Amino acid sequence: MPTAPVPRLDGFAIQIKNLLYVFSGYGSLDYVHSHVDVYNFTDNTWSGKFDTPKDMANSHLGMASDGRYIYVISGQPGPQCRGPTARTFALDTVTKKWKSLPPLPAPRYAPATQLWRGRLHVIGGSKENRYTPGVDHWSLLVKNGKAVERQWQKEVPIPRGGPHRACVVVDEKLYVIGGQEGDFMAKPGSPIFKCSRRHEVVYEDVYMLDGEMKWKTLTPMPKPNSHIESSWVVLNNSIIIVGGTTEKHPVTKRMILVGEVFQFHLDTLQWSIIGKLPYRIKTTLAGFWNGWLYFTSGQRDRGPNNPQPRKVVGEMWRTKVQL
């Protein structure tokens, strides 16, 4: 399908009806985007573009939508491995106007974020040093793109913290899927906050928050999987997840990308693998329209025989899905 106007890594996407809003992200480690591109599923064109606020983060965002307003939570401003912000915003997708919301109690990097029962829930992520997993869970009552409360409320912490997870609400239940502990950090003393690799653990854990505000541990994913914040769609009482990253190679310690399409069946709470992508890729931005599953953007592998990450892409692909 038509390639996105720019390549992007660690961006975010929200689908509203036939439009996929694709937010910011890295163009490369030294350059970040500060705009939204819009893909129209009806005519399969990139049909819109508008800027984000200057003081909004560029990558590792938390994001949720009520079908008109998109809520954007914290994330990392700037390139390389700068620290996160606590700033939050709401976008009216009809007027394209932005508004500020109360900041988080503390900055967070790639927190799991979702709108659930009228409240904006922000869960986990990494703390200010970009590495230490956060287990904090905060919520804010919102309506029509505005905060009804002046400050965030504390909620029950998630059993395992960390960034880069899928966070999905279906049938009054909130699911947090996959993720990791640890991440790249800024090299000490680097004036450009140059990224430096640290030990990280990718996991397959799946948690569900029910109406009694208690976390339950569900069947884990078929393999550990991270970098899937925007890599999911809800389809026929199941959650589909596209790509990601898994545990590093045991000998070389290099990152390994994921090329499978996973399905989590919400009736049986079991996982299956339903297909493969054209290549292994992380931080995909997924959507579904009229029988077609789409993904765009991310960082792909070095080739069929090398699962390590290399090129940041903006390609858009689709496949017919029959479940």
Side-chain angles (χ1 to χ4, degrees):
M1 306 307 293
T3 297
V6 296
R8 47 170 51 89
L9 167 68
D10 283 314
F12 211 104
I14 290 282
Q15 181 177 343
I16 297 178
K17 297 178 182 175
N18 66 319
L19 299 178
L20 186 70
Y21 295 84
V22 178
F23 287 75
S24 300
Y26 290 99
S28 70
L29 263 182
D30 296 309
Y31 176 77
V32 288
H33 302 302
S34 303
H35 72 277
V36 181
D37 288 311
V38 185
Y39 189 79
N40 188 323
F41 289 122
T42 305
D43 57 14
N44 283 302
T45 61
W46 291 95
S47 58
K49 176 184 175 181
F50 55 93
D51 291 334
T52 58
K54 289 183 179 177
D55 45 1
M56 192 178 107
N58 304 97
S59 68
H60 300 88
L61 306 159
M63 206 171 289
S65 175
D66 62 3
R68 171 171 175 172
Y69 297 92
I70 296 175
Y71 300 92
V72 183
I73 306 299
S74 65
Q76 179 188 316
Q80 289 288 339
C81 281
R82 283 163 170 77
T85 177
R87 297 294 305 268
T88 67
F89 296 87
L91 166 69
D92 185 341
T93 59
V94 174
T95 65
K96 305 296 189 295
K97 297 278 180 64
W98 294 88
K99 285 186 178 175
S100 290
L101 297 175
L104 285 182
R108 284 294 177 266
Y109 162 90
T113 304
Q114 205 31 281
L115 197 58
W116 187 41
R117 301 191 299 183
R119 302 188 70 86
L120 198 53
H121 287 259
V122 177
I123 304 160
S126 288
K127 294 189 175 183
E128 289 87 336
N129 65 1
R130 217 178 182 272
Y131 184 84
T132 304
V135 296
D136 307 278
H137 174 191
W138 300 301
S139 77
L140 181 73
L141 186 63
V142 293
K143 187 175 183 180
N144 296 331
K146 297 177 183 176
V148 180
E149 300 167 325
R150 291 188 177 182
Q151 60 187 24
W152 293 78
Q153 292 187 14
K154 263 190 173 182
E155 302 283 3
V156 57
I158 192 163
R160 191 172 191 177
H164 293 307
R165 304 155 120 174
C167 187
V168 189
V169 168
V170 190
D171 293 335
E172 292 297 306
K173 297 182 177 70
L174 185 149
Y175 301 87
V176 179
I177 301 168
Q180 66 184 61
E181 294 169 335
D183 211 328
F184 287 80
M185 293 176 70
K187 192 174 182 179
S190 169
I192 63 166
F193 302 89
K194 185 174 179 61
C195 289
S196 175
R197 187 109 194 249
R198 295 290 190 275
H199 177 67
E200 57 202 38
V201 177
V202 181
Y203 48 78
E204 63 269 41
D205 301 32
V206 179
Y207 298 101
M208 182 188 76
L209 193 61
D210 61 18
E212 298 177 353
M213 297 302 286
K214 292 181 179 176
W215 289 104
K216 293 181 179 177
T217 303
L218 302 183
T219 309
M221 296 190 74
K223 64 164 72 171
N225 202 10
S226 178
H227 291 84
I228 52 174
E229 297 97 302
S230 268
S231 304
W232 57 269
V233 299
V234 175
L235 183 59
N236 291 355
N237 200 35
S238 70
I239 300 169
I240 308 293
I241 292 182
V242 179
T245 62
T246 192
E247 277 285 26
K248 57 185 175 292
H249 191 281
V251 177
T252 67
K253 308 301 181 187
R254 300 292 180 89
M255 183 183 287
I256 294 178
L257 301 180
V258 171
E260 290 93 347
V261 181
F262 304 96
Q263 182 181 17
F264 186 51
H265 305 264
L266 294 172
D267 51 353
T268 63
L269 300 180
Q270 297 299 311
W271 287 91
S272 58
I273 295 174
I274 59 170
K276 292 212 169 177
L277 301 169
Y279 38 70
R280 306 173 192 90
I281 185 166
K282 69 172 183 172
T283 70
T284 62
L285 311 177
F288 182 83
W289 186 254
N290 199 25
W292 294 94
L293 174 66
Y294 290 76
F295 81 87
T296 183
S297 305
Q299 188 175 22
R300 63 159 294 177
D301 58 20
R302 294 172 180 246
N305 300 316
N306 191 336
Q308 294 175 37
R310 190 166 193 176
K311 188 179 181 183
V312 177
V313 298
E315 292 177 0
M316 170 77 86
W317 292 80
R318 75 174 184 178
T319 187
K320 202 79 174 174
V321 176
Q322 292 179 318
L323 299 176

